[in-house]
Amino acid sequence: MVMICVTRLNDKKFILNAEIIRTVEENPDTIITLLTGEHLVVKESMTEVVKRTIEYGRHLRKLTEPT
């Protein structure tokens, strides 16, 4: 499971399961649409959300690679 930390517009942080993200768009706020159809507005830029998702996925793959 790929979990990332993001921030609501009211400065409250929450953890999001990035595997259920359908789309991320900036207009000008960053809106994350989930597979459920729910929309989340966050402070992070679209680029930052994608970056965090990729970094966490890479981190997980390093932890699960055979030694």
Side-chain angles (χ1 to χ4, degrees), residues 4 9-10 13 16 26 32 34 49:
I4 60 171
L9 296 181
N10 64 3
K13 294 188 181 290
L16 174 64
E26 280 182 338
I32 301 172
L34 306 180
V49 172

Side-chain angles (χ1 to χ4, degrees), residues 30-59:
T30 303
I31 303 168
I32 301 172
T33 303
L34 306 180
L35 294 174
T36 62
E38 181 180 0
H39 300 281
L40 305 169
V41 181
V42 298
K43 283 190 165 186
E44 289 76 14
S45 68
M46 178 174 59
T47 303
E48 183 63 25
V49 172
V50 171
K51 177 183 165 194
R52 289 181 188 185
T53 302
I54 291 169
E55 285 176 358
Y56 194 80
R58 286 179 179 158
H59 174 72

Side-chain angles (χ1 to χ4, degrees), residues 9-23:
L9 296 181
N10 64 3
D11 289 325
K12 292 191 178 188
K13 294 188 181 290
F14 67 100
I15 303 298
L16 174 64
N17 178 354
E19 293 177 345
I20 63 168
I21 293 175
R22 177 179 289 167
T23 61

